[in-house]
């Protein structure tokens, strides 16, 4: 008799294949490509040219404030796309098919999360490149810019675990799309306007908004060239999110 035993492939190779698959989905899906490329550039152009005169008097002055805010908004939006992709795969039956293949069971989920890192990098590049073409330059230098990119991508990747969990438990892809409303948290922060110009109750909300801490850290590093207290908060928050939500997400995925 023939031996019909199948052997699972290496987890690294399987994860790499699943990562490539998810990147192809982004490239061939106009909606997902819009989130990581067009949206960051569009918001940078819109706020930079339309509101700079009214808020800061000139485009060059406003870009120092705007670029860190648009960067964080772009990364949150890109991270939220993870929920939509996972939910679509689950409800279309793709994940059931992938989990029946002779590959490590966690490979499809790992591939999604690793693809998110590259999607976040593309979103950050789109936002920063648009700002640069509009006249923005990181005053603290290239080294601090690289540190900000790595810190923000890490935080965005950490948030992807939360969005992935939501994509696993949501009842439909349509419901998951409401997750994009979480990007509105950026508007209720210090991203676009000076906090002192807001009414008192709005200042309180902006101050307690976690997004404000991220943007303050970005501005300090990009404009002044030092590692502020907010940066430690962002780093610790990202580590905490991964430590809590990564095991939960993997457990829920395996039980699907």
């Amino acid at each position: 008799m023939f031996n019909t035993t199948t052997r699972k492939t290496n987890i690294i190779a399987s994860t790499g294949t699943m990562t490539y698959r998810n990147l192809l989905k982004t490239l061939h899906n106009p909606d997902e490509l819009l989130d990581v490329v067009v949206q960051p550039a569009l918001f940078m152009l819109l706020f930079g040219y339309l509101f700079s005169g009214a808020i800061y008097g000139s485009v060059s002055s406003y870009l120092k404030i705007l670029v860190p805010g648009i960067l964080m908004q772009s990364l949150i939006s890109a991270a939220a796309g993870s929920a939509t992709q996972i939910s679509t795969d689950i409800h279309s039956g793709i994940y059931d098919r992938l989990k029946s293949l002779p590959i490590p069971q966690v490979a499809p989920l790992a591939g999604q999360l690793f693809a998110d890192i590259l999607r976040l990098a593309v979103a950050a590049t789109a936002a920063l490149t648009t700002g640069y073409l509009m006249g923005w330059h990181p005053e603290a230098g290239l080294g601090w810019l690289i540190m900000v990119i790595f810190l923000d991508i890490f935080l965005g990747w950490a948030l992807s675990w939360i969005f992935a969990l939501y994509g696993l438990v949501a009842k439909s892809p349509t419901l998951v799309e409401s997750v994009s409303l979480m990007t509105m948290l950026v508007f209720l922060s210090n991203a676009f306007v000076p906090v002192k110009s807001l009414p008192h109750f709005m200042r309180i909300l902006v101050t307690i908004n976690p997004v404000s801490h991220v943007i303050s850290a970005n501005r300090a590093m990009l404009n002044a060239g030092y590692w502020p207290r907010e940066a430690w908060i962002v780093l610790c928050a990202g580590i905490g999110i991964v430590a809590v939500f990564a095991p939960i997400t993997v457990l829920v995925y395996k039980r699907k």
Side-chain angles (χ1 to χ4, degrees):
M1 296 180 67
F2 293 102
N3 185 2
T4 57
T5 302
T6 57
R7 191 170 58 179
K8 289 187 176 182
T9 57
N10 182 277
I11 187 171
I12 296 177
S14 298
T15 300
T17 301
M18 293 297 104
T19 300
Y20 179 66
R21 169 187 174 270
N22 282 286
L23 290 176
L24 286 180
K25 283 175 58 184
T26 299
L27 289 175
H28 293 287
N29 189 325
D31 292 338
E32 295 175 5
L33 197 61
L34 183 74
D35 288 341
V36 297
V37 177
V38 178
Q39 181 175 295
L42 185 62
F43 272 99
M44 189 74 73
L45 293 168
L46 176 65
F47 280 89
Y49 288 126
L50 191 60
F51 300 121
S52 58
I55 298 175
Y56 269 88
S58 67
V59 175
S60 59
S61 298
Y62 188 41
L63 284 175
K64 297 177 183 179
I65 304 299
L66 179 65
V67 170
I70 296 294
L71 175 62
M72 196 62 238
Q73 182 195 40
S74 303
L75 294 182
I76 292 177
S77 179
S82 180
T84 303
Q85 289 191 2
I86 289 176
S87 181
T88 300
D89 280 348
I90 287 176
H91 290 89
S92 64
I94 296 294
Y95 263 26
D96 290 335
R97 173 57 181 154
L98 292 175
K99 291 172 73 173
S100 69
L101 296 176
I103 61 175
Q105 189 178 17
V106 77
L109 178 63
Q112 175 66 56
L113 271 298
F114 276 104
D116 284 344
I117 297 176
L118 297 177
R119 293 174 69 251
L120 291 165
V122 171
T125 301
L128 294 172
T129 300
T130 306
Y132 182 83
L133 294 175
M134 292 172 64
W136 170 81
H137 301 280
E139 295 184 357
L142 181 61
W144 285 104
L145 173 61
I146 294 173
M147 290 181 70
V148 167
I149 292 173
F150 275 103
L151 180 64
D152 285 8
I153 287 178
F154 171 68
L155 180 63
W157 180 73
L159 292 174
S160 292
W161 284 100
I162 300 177
F163 290 120
L165 178 60
Y166 179 64
L168 288 170
V169 301
K171 294 183 177 181
S172 70
T174 303
L175 183 62
V176 169
E177 291 177 359
S178 63
V179 141
S180 61
L181 293 175
M182 289 191 67
T183 59
M184 298 298 289
L185 285 173
V186 180
F187 291 96
L188 194 62
S189 68
N190 60 354
F192 305 114
V193 297
V195 177
K196 62 182 180 181
S197 67
L198 300 173
H200 179 68
F201 76 96
M202 289 290 291
R203 293 184 199 177
I204 297 174
L205 295 176
V206 167
T207 301
I208 63 177
N209 187 349
V211 175
S212 293
H213 294 289
V214 183
I215 295 171
S216 295
N218 289 348
R219 287 173 181 161
M221 296 166 71
L222 290 173
N223 299 329
Y226 74 97
W227 185 272
R229 181 179 62 89
E230 289 86 356
W232 286 113
I233 295 174
V234 172
L235 182 61
C236 292
I239 294 172
I241 290 171
V242 174
V244 172
F245 283 93
I248 297 174
T249 304
V250 172
L251 179 63
V252 172
Y253 171 75
K254 287 183 175 180
R255 292 184 175 181
K256 269 289 183 179

